[in-house]
Amino acid sequence: AIWLTARGPFTVEDEHALMREHAVDTVITKNSGGDATAAKLAAARAFGIPVILIRRPPKPQGESVITTDHAMDWIARVHGISS
């Protein structure tokens, strides 16, 4: 195995060259929720290389707020602080 670390974004051509140079036969990647791995997936698809996609963990359960004022109100309520 060879461990490669680099920072993208990468082009499909970059990924093709990497896969050819290292005779990649399987791609393992995480679902980061963006398009950062799009070139890697396109290159793997072009070569017919299987992809193992690691799912994102579920979002934690809990309350959420949108504004700072709502956050301050939540903090006060949770900690029993009266204003």
Side-chain angles (χ1 to χ4, degrees), residues 21-40:
E21 179 182 345
H22 294 283
V24 172
D25 61 4
T26 305
V27 171
I28 302 172
T29 189
K30 67 179 183 200
N31 179 357
S32 60
D35 60 357
T37 59
K40 180 189 328 268

Side-chain angles (χ1 to χ4, degrees), residues 3-36:
W3 185 278
L4 301 173
T5 57
R7 221 174 252 281
F10 302 104
T11 66
V12 175
E13 293 76 23
D14 292 336
E15 297 291 1
H16 275 171
L18 183 72
M19 290 180 188
R20 263 193 311 273
E21 179 182 345
H22 294 283
V24 172
D25 61 4
T26 305
V27 171
I28 302 172
T29 189
K30 67 179 183 200
N31 179 357
S32 60
D35 60 357

Side-chain angles (χ1 to χ4, degrees), residues 18-70:
L18 183 72
M19 290 180 188
R20 263 193 311 273
E21 179 182 345
H22 294 283
V24 172
D25 61 4
T26 305
V27 171
I28 302 172
T29 189
K30 67 179 183 200
N31 179 357
S32 60
D35 60 357
T37 59
K40 180 189 328 268
L41 296 174
R45 185 173 25 255
F47 286 130
I49 295 172
V51 174
I52 298 170
L53 187 63
I54 307 299
R55 283 189 202 132
R56 297 179 78 169
K59 288 186 178 182
Q61 300 269 331
E63 296 181 56
S64 64
V65 296
I66 298 181
T67 68
T68 305
D69 288 338
H70 288 140

Side-chain angles (χ1 to χ4, degrees), residues 66-78:
I66 298 181
T67 68
T68 305
D69 288 338
H70 288 140
M72 297 304 291
D73 291 343
W74 180 86
I75 291 168
R77 182 172 45 83
V78 168

